[in-house]
Amino acid sequence: MEAYLYEWLGLIVRWLHVIFGIAWIGASFYFVWLDNNLREPPEWKKQQGIKGDLWAIHGGGIYEVAKYHLGPDQMPTQLHWFKWEAYSTWLSGMALLVLVYYLGSTGYLIDPARADISTTTGIVIGLGTLVAVMAVYEAMIRSPLADNGKVFGLMLFGILVLVDWGLFQVFSGRGAFIHVGAVIGTIMVANVFLGIVPSQRALVSVLEQGREPDERVTRLAALAKLRSTHNNYLTLPVLFIMISNHYPLLYGHPHGWAILAAIGFITAFARHYFNLRHRQINRPSILVTAAVMTALLIWVIAPPGSTSMAKNGTQVDDATVTTIVETHCLACHAANPSHPGFQSAPAGVRLDELSLVMTFSDKVRQAAVLSHYMPLGNSTGMTEQERQQLGQWLDAQQAVD
Ligand code: HEC
């Protein structure tokens, strides 16, 4: 019963996290789009301090949007702020991190073959990394580095790759991926909380007092712009990481950290194309390069066609494979798992008959032969020889097909 309710809790928090995330990124995409589509307004609007306007149709009505240089002479009685989208995304994401990785099966977070640490140590490293990277970022953006956008961007990328590599040394592939995502998400929400919203508050406050923004307010606004540019480039990588935990072929790869770094680069680069295009600069070569890099990556990390090391004709019989699967997989991958942490077969993968093992042959090969992702955290102590036998048996079956 407990495991059952726990699954529901995870499901509901995940669902909320996705909804909040859509609200946040959706609003962010929308405002980037607005800013990039503002056109020069007619004279009468200019005299009111409006610097750009645009017209749009949606949901059966026409909208007129106007953006002021700073603000209207008289502040509106109701001003909408966009911040809870970001905060609720982060809060629900942290709740999910705790539920799945810190309180859930340790196999998600820890791979004893890589680093045999306790869950507590893992949590300290995970949360410690979030706080530390955010602190470094905050120190950087408050330093003269903030005046050099390019160097800042490169350094940020370098730091994230370093964190990515480091986390791969201590966590399971999946645990490392999600923590890189959480680090990026934390930087993004801190940008809203510590930079963008305070700068907006400062602006509203001077406008309400009918003053012109002083140097401090202008500086805050410039930094808020830089923060928002960073968030813009980070959206695609962070979304990618969030969905990548369905793909062991990425995080289960021995060089998972390098794959993540490559994908982070490619997705941020692709975002650059859209940012330029919004500014009326069309550079399709960027998208083509990103596509070529993706194709190269897919090719480079492709698993070998055959998994059998021993080509000496050793036959692995069905009985051996049945024993391997029973010993190492069935506690979880059965119709009614005996493992207390699972209510039904994880990922919908049931392996309680050899024909089912064949049905999932590609995934089984990826999860238990090519990578050591399965059995989760190698809790059953599956040996290299058993992995090879499973691989040879799968190859032989496919050859018969
Ligand atoms: C301790 C429980 C546990 C054991 C034991 C276990 N698995 Fe899994 N398995 C899981 C969980 C949990 C998932 C879902 C992981 C995810 O969503 O990333 C999973 C997912 C899978 C998947 C799907 C991966 C995908 O592409 O989505 C395959 C295939 C798989 N396991 C094969 C195996 C094989 C083969 C064995 C035995 C050698 C095994 N598992 C042992 C818990 C287990």
Side-chain angles (χ1 to χ4, degrees):
M1 193 62 189
E2 217 176 284
Y4 173 73
L5 290 178
Y6 198 76
E7 289 232 11
W8 269 103
L9 183 62
L11 173 58
I12 290 170
V13 174
R14 190 179 297 259
W15 180 57
L16 287 174
H17 181 55
V18 172
I19 296 172
F20 295 145
I22 289 176
W24 180 14
I25 307 243
S28 141
F29 278 3
Y30 178 65
F31 279 101
V32 171
W33 179 88
L34 277 187
D35 260 346
N36 290 317
N37 283 281
L38 291 173
R39 295 289 171 268
E40 196 169 336
E43 199 53 41
W44 66 271
K45 281 190 185 173
K46 275 190 195 161
Q47 277 167 9
Q48 296 176 355
I50 292 175
K51 77 166 178 189
D53 71 349
L54 73 80
W55 297 78
I57 185 163
H58 188 80
I62 290 184
Y63 293 76
E64 178 185 9
V65 181
K67 182 174 183 182
Y68 286 82
H69 267 294
L70 288 170
D73 290 338
Q74 184 134 46
M75 284 301 276
T77 45
Q78 209 188 9
L79 186 62
H80 295 284
W81 291 72
F82 288 81
K83 52 183 183 185
W84 277 104
E85 293 81 357
Y87 302 163
S88 55
T89 305
W90 187 80
L91 290 171
S92 55
M94 288 307 287
L96 201 54
L97 182 72
V98 171
L99 279 177
V100 178
Y101 293 87
Y102 296 170
L103 299 178
S105 179
T106 49
Y108 284 137
L109 182 67
I110 290 156
D111 178 354
R114 196 171 282 169
D116 199 2
I117 54 173
S118 68
T119 307
T120 314
T121 312
I123 296 174
V124 171
I125 295 176
L127 295 181
T129 310
L130 295 193
V131 175
V133 181
M134 189 196 75
V136 169
Y137 178 89
E138 283 303 317
M140 277 167 67
I141 204 149
R142 286 153 204 261
S143 79
L145 251 181
D147 296 320
N148 195 332
K150 279 214 174 94
V151 174
F152 195 114
L154 280 177
M155 278 185 67
L156 181 57
F157 182 71
I159 290 173
L160 290 177
V161 173
L162 202 68
V163 169
D164 168 29
W165 177 84
L167 289 172
F168 257 85
Q169 314 305 311
V170 286
F171 289 148
S172 71
R174 183 171 158 160
F177 259 55
I178 205 67
H179 277 91
V180 175
V183 162
I184 298 180
T186 303
I187 292 179
M188 289 172 71
V189 84
N191 272 334
V192 175
F193 186 69
L194 298 175
I196 297 169
V197 166
S199 126
Q200 287 168 345
R201 261 205 207 103
L203 175 68
V204 167
S205 131
V206 294
L207 289 179
E208 275 171 351
Q209 295 161 12
R211 288 190 287 128
E212 279 291 307
D214 50 25
E215 211 174 296
R216 189 185 73 94
V217 175
T218 329
R219 174 76 183 157
L220 278 179
L223 287 183
K225 176 80 199 139
L226 182 64
R227 289 177 183 268
S228 132
T229 307
H230 290 158
N231 278 7
N232 178 279
Y233 280 101
L234 293 173
T235 43
L236 296 192
V238 85
L239 284 177
F240 181 90
I241 295 175
M242 294 306 155
I243 59 168
S244 69
N245 63 15
H246 298 286
Y247 298 93
L249 94 152
L250 299 176
Y251 60 75
H253 194 281
H255 301 299
W257 72 270
I259 296 178
L260 184 56
I263 289 172
F265 180 80
I266 295 170
T267 44
F269 192 47
R271 187 79 189 104
H272 188 54
Y273 167 80
F274 292 101
N275 288 338
L276 286 182
R277 206 183 65 162
H278 287 315
R279 298 198 332 242
Q280 314 299 324
I281 305 169
N282 192 10
R283 214 170 277 161
S285 59
I286 294 181
L287 278 191
V288 175
T289 314
V292 170
M293 288 194 285
T294 309
L296 258 175
L297 181 73
I298 293 173
W299 179 68
V300 169
I301 68 170
S306 156
T307 41
S308 5
M309 297 276 190
K311 298 278 184 207
N312 51 13
T314 36
Q315 287 273 331
V316 179
D317 56 23
D318 290 359
T320 311
V321 172
T322 307
T323 311
I324 293 178
V325 172
E326 269 172 6
T327 319
H328 299 292
C329 316
L330 288 195
C332 303
H333 291 281
N336 291 307
S338 59
H339 192 291
F342 299 98
Q343 192 63 27
S344 54
V349 176
R350 267 182 59 193
L351 302 172
D352 34 15
E353 277 170 40
L354 283 187
S355 60
L356 287 168
V357 178
M358 274 316 293
T359 312
F360 294 108
S361 60
D362 288 343
K363 288 194 160 196
V364 168
R365 181 183 283 113
Q366 182 64 47
V369 183
L370 295 172
S371 76
H372 290 187
Y373 179 49
M374 286 294 140
L376 206 57
N378 202 6
S379 47
T380 60
M382 189 171 181
T383 64
E384 198 52 45
Q385 191 200 1
E386 287 169 319
R387 294 185 193 279
Q388 288 309 322
Q389 287 177 324
L390 180 60
Q392 284 171 25
W393 182 84
L394 288 170
D395 288 348
Q397 299 297 310
Q398 277 179 334
V400 174
D401 284 355

